Structures are given as C-alpha cells and as structure tokens.
Amino acid sequence: MMNGPAALRQRQADYYPGGGYCLQTLILSIVIFGVIIFVHEFGHYIVAKLTGIRVEEFALGMGPKAVGKKWGETLYTIRVLPLGGFCKMAGETGERDYKEERTPDPGR
C-alpha cells in the first residue's frame, strides 16, 4: 500500500477519468462549442448580407459586452459568457418596441 503524494495522485487518477484533466476538457468543450456557434451565426450574417439586410451587431457570447469593434455598419462584439451568440439585423423589433406599438388608444 502506497502512502504520501504518490498514493494521492493514484487515487485522483482512479477517481477522475482521464487522469484528472477535467479543466482541460472543460476548456476544450467551450472552444469547440464556440466554433460551432460562430459558424452558425456566421451563416445568419452571410445570408443577411447577401440579401441586402443590414446587420447591426454580430456577437459571440451572451451578457455584457467584453470587447467590441465597429467595422462598416456592423458592430462586432465578444460577450462575457461564452454560451451562445446572436446576429442582430435591421428591422428586428425587441419586446419593448412591440409593446409600444400595441399600446391602446385612450380615445377608443
């Protein structure tokens, strides 16, 4: 029976599949997921550009903006949370805009 640091490393290797590379697996998963999201959102971007729709923002990630650069008519941003992304096109209305358009007329 082993004692000391060697025994601890062996127990960790037995407990964590892959020899304890959980952090590396997590980082690699986020990178691969990010590439898939980028390709997906880039598809929206390209189709919008080819059909003449103005793209206001192309973002990778969600939440507050970490970095951004305006290039031409489009703002390209990277967000804080690396989960998801979006391509904001001209003419898309948010929920607030929709509610403002549907406010009842007080004269009716």
Side-chain angles (χ1 to χ4, degrees):
M1 176 142 186
M2 292 190 296
N3 290 322
L8 178 61
R9 280 193 299 275
Q10 183 60 45
R11 283 194 303 271
Q12 287 174 339
D14 291 341
Y15 184 72
Y16 297 109
Y21 296 106
C22 293
L23 184 61
Q24 290 176 343
T25 303
L26 177 66
I27 291 170
L28 184 61
S29 297
I30 290 172
V31 168
I32 290 172
F33 191 54
V35 169
I36 291 169
I37 291 168
F38 174 79
V39 169
H40 174 85
E41 294 303 328
F42 189 69
H44 292 291
Y45 175 83
I46 278 298
V47 170
K49 287 293 191 178
L50 290 174
T51 57
I53 299 171
R54 183 170 48 90
V55 178
E56 295 175 358
E57 184 176 359
F58 180 83
L60 288 178
M62 295 291 186
K65 180 173 64 170
V67 293
K69 172 120 175 100
K70 181 111 173 154
W71 189 14
E73 61 186 15
T74 305
L75 175 64
Y76 299 90
T77 60
I78 296 178
R79 302 297 179 116
V80 175
L81 301 172
L83 304 169
F86 63 91
C87 189
K88 183 179 179 189
M89 296 174 216
E92 292 182 328
T93 58
E95 188 175 324
R96 182 191 313 168
D97 296 337
Y98 181 72
K99 285 180 181 177
E100 288 173 1
E101 291 173 4
R102 297 208 38 182
T103 52
D105 185 7
R108 286 190 171 173

